[in-house]
Amino acid sequence: AGLGAPAKRSGRPPLPALWFPGRRAGRGWPRHRRGAGQEVGARRPGAVLGLLRGSATRRAGDSGPRGTRRGTRASAETMAEEEGPTVELRQRKKLKSSENKESVKEEKVSDTPSPERAPKHVLFQRFAKIFIGCLAAVTSGMMYALYLSAYHERKFWFSNRQELEREITFQGDSAIYYSYYKDMLKAPSFERGVYELTHNNKTVSLKTINAVQQMSLYPELIASVLYQATGSNEIIEPVYFYIGIVFGLQGIYVTALFVTSWLMSGTWLAGMLTVAWFIINRVDTTRIEYSIPLRENWALPYFACQIAALTGYLKSNLNTYGERFCYLLMSASTYTFMMMWEYSHYLLFLQAISLFLLDSFSLEQSDKVHEVYKIYIFSLFLGYLLQFENSALLVSPLLSLVVALMLAKCLQLNVKKGTFIAKIMKVINFYLVCTLTVTLNIIMKMFVPHKENGHMLKFLEVKFGLNMTKNFTMNWLLCQESLQAPSQDFFLRLTQSSLLPFYILVLIICFLSMMQVIFRRIGGKSLKETITLEDGRIGGRPEIIYHVIHTILLGSLAMVIEGLKYLWTPYVCMLAAFGVCSPELWMTLFKWLRLRTVHPVLLALILSMAVPTIIGLSLWKEFFPRLMTELMELQEFYDPDTVELMTWIKRQAPVAAVFAGSPQLMGAIKLCTGWMVTSLPLYNDDDLLKRNENIYQIYSKRSAEDIYKILTSYKANYLIVEDAICNEVGTTRGCRVKDLLDIANGHVVCEEGDKLTYSKYGRFCHEVKINYSPYVNYFTRVYWNRSYFVYKINTVISFQS
């Protein structure tokens, strides 16, 4: 029967010879040895077949050879009965099929693990955590928006002012943006209003501009549509509706930062700390207090939403539905951000660099990163079409970088990861992307006609000392406080609120952990795909790598130009709050310190709750009374001279009159009166920059005839001289407008070796006030007060002695 020769008796029964060929690969020994070997062979087809043959032989009879076979079979059977296994085999052979099925089922269950359903109390805890976190995020955003509204009301006493006094609070370029919002509301229809803005010849004399494209007026278009479509004209005044939308977007801004820190740390306590730091340092996190309609105030909330969606999208443990939601939110917010701000593609370019470096360091995120690149291309293409074929998007470095990355991916060879050739290919790929980006950008600028902010490149050259210039516009931009390096007060304010020390601590730990992970991957060491708290490897998470790279890039720019701190400081708040509330960060630090006296996981959990609580209490004690004092203190914006000037223009000046003066004042005149002006406070158009420089010559040492020729070339009818500029006394002498004009005109020696061009004329703004010839021949004073002097430009020159 194939059972083999009887084995020597021992302490356990012998195993049949057919047990070995019938054993399945991968089945363990203990499974076939339970029950003292009684089940051995019960699931073996060879042993069962041998038993069936033996039973058939016994039923055949005892004659001849069969008897011999029967005797042999009987002896074998007797031996098997003594040993034990054979009897059990005959009795359990009918259970073979069912046990096989159960065995296969057990194998399948063990091979394909199914997620166990969490207990009800665990699900309730998760739901409560998410519900409380979402409620805290929404509440924080709403409270911040209400705080801004209340602070704005107290600062300007807004509700108790007339419409003219309210509009004067919009200064500089903010006045221009709001003036077009008013024009849209006055238009007979939305289509007519859009046409008048895209073919605008009522703002700047002798110039027709596409205001929607040149000034990114999409926020004003949307606000005007919402105001009329919702019937708000019967409920609320236009100015309140406009600033209310901006304040609401700031609430969304704060909520997005809350969610980002929550996603990174796993606790909504980090979101609360982010909001607290953001509000306390609002002087350095936002310019909403000074210029409400600025493009960045409209655009940055969408960028914050895009950052939050990207953070969730890069997480390794995200499910399919969450990944799709993050992808859709990221797509919508990226495109909206690009439409709201003309400089948005530069900020997305920095983000693309961060993702490229993330792709180089974290190999398993390549597919997700390239999906983000597709979003960039789609947004650029759609933005190009809807922004009246804006050529600036085609020659942007973002498009060149993304196209280079796509081409480099197509040229990559399928090399096994971790090999020496793969590492060489990474270096070649990095060099290839950089080379292709520069080459594509040069080619695009050669074939695509554009005016891509050439003055910005000249400014950067002068800023970094690569070039010297006496140009008035360049030197005036360099003297602007927002374009200079950050002052010590900026770092002192961040330190007093404890933000900067914790940010530096978190950044150092995350950066060192990230470098540790990168070097391990370069060395070919295998790392766990799922990072746990006990691993102490916070730098291995892709979303952390991205944020570390991004904040370093933004911080580097903020250290050069102070105006860019409004892009960097909000994410300083977010990253610092995430770090102190993350047990993984503390666990990473303890791993390096090799802490053994106390259980490191327990201590990390305690510190992630205790440290932010202590910080929050100290901030509450020190800064909350200040915030309440600001809300209780009633201030007043008092500028009667400007109000009188605007009133006189509306009552006395002809409707077709054109005014000339400083760009900041021209923006206010356009908003408050609607009269045409010669220049605007915008710095993205070369023609407007040249106009501003020419009009500013009224504060230089030029003759009356020269000034008259300049003004009449722009068809100006009235000239406004500001006493504050003419008699400016600044702390930085070389940055006064009259000093910059003297340098540009060569009337002063700027450096050794410069030639001095002596001017026989006095400063025009002083001389014209004296009312003597030849100034009275060209200009006639028609209005003045303590701050402004208005002169009518004579069309017929009468020479007086």
Side-chain angles (χ1 to χ4, degrees):
L3 293 177
K8 186 177 181 181
R9 294 184 62 90
S10 59
R12 61 179 183 181
L15 296 177
L18 291 180
W19 188 91
F20 295 98
R23 184 172 63 90
R24 295 183 182 179
R27 302 290 295 271
W29 281 87
R31 183 179 181 86
H32 306 291
R33 296 179 60 185
R34 62 174 179 261
Q38 292 180 357
E39 293 184 11
V40 175
R43 298 171 186 159
R44 303 293 171 261
V48 174
L49 184 60
L51 292 175
L52 291 175
R53 290 175 180 174
S55 61
T57 304
R58 284 192 297 269
R59 287 195 299 269
D62 301 334
S63 60
R66 294 183 180 179
T68 307
R69 287 195 297 269
R70 187 185 63 175
T72 306
R73 184 76 60 184
S75 62
E77 189 174 330
T78 304
M79 180 192 68
E81 287 179 358
E82 293 177 358
E83 301 296 337
T86 307
V87 177
E88 293 298 328
L89 289 173
R90 293 185 64 185
Q91 290 178 351
R92 299 191 55 165
K93 63 182 178 180
K94 295 182 180 180
L95 302 177
K96 171 181 67 68
S97 60
S98 61
E99 290 189 358
N100 278 336
K101 293 181 180 178
E102 292 178 0
S103 175
V104 172
K105 289 181 180 178
E106 290 176 3
E107 285 183 1
K108 290 182 178 180
V109 170
S110 61
D111 293 340
T112 58
S114 58
E116 297 183 359
R117 188 173 181 180
K120 292 184 178 180
H121 67 277
V122 176
L123 294 176
F124 177 77
Q125 290 178 357
R126 294 177 182 174
F127 174 78
K129 179 181 178 181
I130 295 175
F131 177 77
I132 295 175
C134 293
L135 183 63
V138 175
T139 303
S140 300
M142 294 178 61
M143 293 299 293
Y144 180 62
L146 293 175
Y147 167 78
L148 289 177
S149 179
Y151 180 76
H152 182 263
E153 171 65 27
R154 289 286 179 174
K155 182 178 180 180
F156 296 105
W157 206 19
F158 210 67
S159 60
N160 294 278
R161 291 295 180 184
Q162 299 178 357
E163 182 179 2
L164 179 60
E165 294 174 324
R166 293 174 183 172
E167 293 176 349
I168 290 176
T169 60
F170 297 105
Q171 300 290 324
D173 49 352
S174 298
I176 299 297
Y177 298 128
Y178 183 73
S179 69
Y180 288 121
Y181 169 71
K182 285 180 57 179
D183 293 343
M184 282 296 299
L185 296 181
K186 294 177 182 178
S189 64
F190 177 76
E191 293 79 8
R192 183 62 184 175
V194 173
Y195 179 83
E196 291 179 354
L197 291 184
T198 54
H199 302 79
N200 187 279
N201 56 2
K202 298 180 180 179
T203 301
V204 183
S205 61
L206 302 178
K207 188 176 179 65
T208 300
I209 60 176
N210 185 344
V212 178
Q213 177 186 357
Q214 188 166 348
M215 304 178 192
S216 301
L217 296 181
Y218 296 96
E220 282 67 32
L221 298 181
I222 297 173
S224 62
V225 169
L226 292 176
Y227 182 73
Q228 295 176 340
T230 57
S232 301
N233 50 353
E234 301 177 357
I235 303 174
I236 189 173
E237 299 180 45
V239 63
Y240 280 107
F241 185 83
Y242 184 86
I243 65 176
I245 293 179
V246 182
F247 291 157
L249 287 174
Q250 297 305 303
I252 296 176
Y253 193 1
V254 166
T255 301
L257 294 175
F258 184 108
V259 173
T260 305
S261 59
W262 181 13
L263 288 172
M264 295 174 64
S265 64
T267 172
W268 51 265
L269 187 62
M272 298 293 292
L273 186 58
T274 301
V275 175
W277 266 328
F278 184 90
I279 296 177
I280 291 172
N281 297 280
R282 71 183 186 281
V283 177
D284 302 305
T285 56
T286 178
R287 284 195 285 187
I288 190 67
E289 297 181 10
Y290 310 103
S291 303
I292 294 176
L294 284 181
R295 301 300 86 182
E296 62 190 61
N297 293 335
W298 286 89
L300 289 181
Y302 295 102
F303 185 63
C305 293
Q306 193 252 16
I307 290 289
L310 180 60
T311 302
Y313 185 69
L314 293 176
K315 290 178 70 70
S316 303
N317 57 349
L318 192 65
N319 56 38
T320 305
Y321 296 103
E323 186 174 312
R324 290 176 182 175
F325 173 77
C326 291
Y327 184 83
L328 293 176
L329 178 59
M330 184 167 45
S331 302
S333 55
T334 301
Y335 171 70
T336 308
F337 173 60
M338 192 172 294
M339 294 293 291
M340 291 291 174
W341 196 18
E342 60 181 328
Y343 300 115
S344 58
H345 57 88
Y346 291 111
L347 194 53
L348 292 175
F349 172 68
L350 294 179
Q351 187 183 76
I353 294 177
S354 305
L355 292 174
F356 167 58
L357 295 177
L358 169 65
D359 186 18
S360 302
F361 299 149
S362 182
L363 302 179
E364 62 270 10
Q365 293 295 323
S366 297
D367 295 336
K368 288 186 176 182
V369 170
H370 283 276
E371 289 297 324
V372 180
Y373 295 156
K374 295 177 182 178
I375 294 177
Y376 290 152
I377 293 180
F378 174 77
S379 300
L380 286 169
F381 176 74
L382 196 59
Y384 170 76
L385 295 179
L386 296 183
Q387 290 183 0
F388 307 94
E389 298 182 358
N390 186 8
S391 59
L393 297 180
L394 295 181
V395 299
S396 65
L398 174 63
L399 181 61
S400 302
L401 175 62
V402 174
V403 173
L405 289 167
M406 292 295 186
L407 292 176
K409 182 183 179 182
C410 296
L411 297 176
Q412 280 181 352
L413 299 176
N414 294 325
V415 183
K416 185 177 180 181
K417 297 178 180 179
T419 62
F420 178 76
I421 299 178
K423 298 173 184 178
I424 297 298
M425 288 301 299
K426 275 291 180 183
V427 178
I428 296 176
N429 179 68
F430 186 86
Y431 173 77
L432 181 64
V433 169
C434 297
T435 306
L436 280 176
T437 301
V438 176
T439 304
L440 288 173
N441 193 255
I442 294 175
I443 293 175
M444 292 297 290
K445 289 184 177 180
M446 289 174 58
F447 291 97
V448 177
H450 67 285
K451 296 180 180 178
E452 178 52 16
N453 301 319
H455 62 281
M456 290 183 58
L457 298 178
K458 297 178 183 178
F459 165 76
L460 293 176
E461 290 179 359
V462 178
K463 175 72 176 178
F464 294 110
L466 302 177
N467 193 5
M468 297 296 294
T469 181
K470 295 182 180 180
N471 181 267
F472 168 79
T473 302
M474 290 296 104
N475 291 328
W476 184 81
L477 290 174
L478 286 172
C479 286
Q480 299 302 304
E481 183 178 356
S482 60
L483 297 178
Q484 295 179 2
S487 61
Q488 294 182 356
D489 295 337
F490 167 64
F491 299 103
L492 182 61
R493 288 191 298 268
L494 296 185
T495 304
Q496 288 176 346
S497 62
S498 70
L499 174 60
L500 190 60
F502 283 107
Y503 168 76
I504 295 175
L505 173 66
V506 172
L507 182 61
I508 290 175
I509 295 176
C510 292
F511 180 77
L512 293 179
S513 179
M514 180 187 74
M515 297 305 297
Q516 185 180 22
V517 172
I518 292 172
F519 285 133
R520 287 182 178 179
R521 285 176 179 167
I522 293 176
K525 295 183 179 180
S526 59
L527 299 175
K528 293 171 59 178
E529 295 184 0
T530 304
I531 301 175
T532 60
L533 178 60
E534 290 79 4
D535 296 332
R537 187 157 48 88
I538 195 171
R541 293 167 53 185
E543 67 272 20
I544 303 300
I545 297 176
Y546 159 72
H547 279 288
V548 168
I549 299 173
H550 199 187
T551 189
I552 290 176
L553 292 178
L554 290 177
S556 302
L557 294 178
M559 295 302 103
V560 178
I561 300 176
E562 186 176 8
L564 297 178
K565 69 180 181 181
Y566 300 106
L567 304 176
W568 177 62
T569 315
Y571 297 101
V572 171
C573 301
M574 181 269 297
L575 197 66
F578 137 74
V580 298
C581 296
S582 176
E584 292 182 68
L585 183 129
W586 297 109
M587 191 63 193
T588 303
L589 181 61
F590 295 154
K591 280 284 186 179
W592 293 342
L593 298 177
R594 297 182 179 180
L595 183 65
R596 300 188 184 277
T597 56
V598 183
H599 197 283
V601 176
L602 178 61
L603 184 58
L605 293 173
I606 294 176
L607 288 179
S608 64
M609 296 292 292
V611 173
T613 302
I614 295 173
I615 296 174
L617 292 176
S618 62
L619 294 178
W620 178 278
K621 181 179 179 181
E622 182 176 358
F623 293 98
F624 183 75
R626 300 184 187 180
L627 297 177
M628 291 297 101
T629 303
E630 291 177 352
L631 292 180
M632 296 302 296
E633 183 180 2
L634 183 61
Q635 305 179 35
E636 182 180 0
F637 182 78
Y638 186 69
D639 190 3
D641 295 339
T642 305
V643 173
E644 292 175 3
L645 173 64
M646 301 302 169
T647 304
W648 179 87
I649 293 175
K650 296 176 70 174
R651 293 178 180 177
Q652 302 296 329
V655 177
V658 178
F659 285 83
S662 68
Q664 288 72 22
L665 181 60
M666 295 300 100
I669 290 176
K670 173 62 178 67
L671 169 60
C672 299
T673 65
W675 265 246
M676 195 177 294
V677 295
T678 57
S679 59
L680 290 175
L682 299 174
Y683 311 103
N684 57 355
D685 184 83
D686 293 335
D687 181 64
L688 289 177
L689 288 174
K690 187 63 178 177
R691 283 175 176 248
N692 294 343
E693 182 177 355
N694 291 336
I695 299 300
Y696 266 129
Q697 295 297 325
I698 61 178
Y699 302 103
S700 67
K701 298 177 180 180
R702 301 281 292 271
S703 65
E705 183 179 2
D706 291 343
I707 302 300
Y708 180 82
K709 289 180 180 179
I710 292 174
L711 297 177
T712 53
S713 66
Y714 296 121
K715 300 297 182 182
N717 304 115
Y718 291 89
L719 169 65
I720 303 178
V721 177
E722 298 177 59
D723 196 58
I725 300 178
C726 188
N727 300 320
E728 182 180 5
V729 180
T731 54
T732 306
R733 180 178 177 82
C735 283
R736 297 182 299 182
V737 171
K738 51 188 179 182
D739 297 335
L740 297 175
L741 289 169
D742 292 341
I743 293 173
N745 296 332
H747 296 158
V748 296
V749 176
C750 181
E751 296 180 355
E752 295 183 5
D754 290 346
K755 294 182 179 180
L756 176 63
T757 304
Y758 177 75
S759 176
K760 60 181 179 180
Y761 305 103
R763 200 167 299 279
F764 175 83
C765 61
H766 290 156
E767 301 295 328
V768 74
K769 297 177 184 178
I770 305 177
N771 285 332
Y772 67 89
S773 182
Y775 295 93
V776 294
N777 301 333
Y778 299 99
F779 308 98
T780 303
R781 188 167 63 187
V782 293
Y783 174 81
W784 72 93
N785 58 27
R786 293 177 300 177
S787 301
Y788 304 101
F789 295 82
V790 182
Y791 297 89
K792 188 178 186 304
I793 301 173
N794 299 329
T795 55
V796 179
I797 303 175
S798 59
F799 292 94
Q800 304 176 10
S801 58

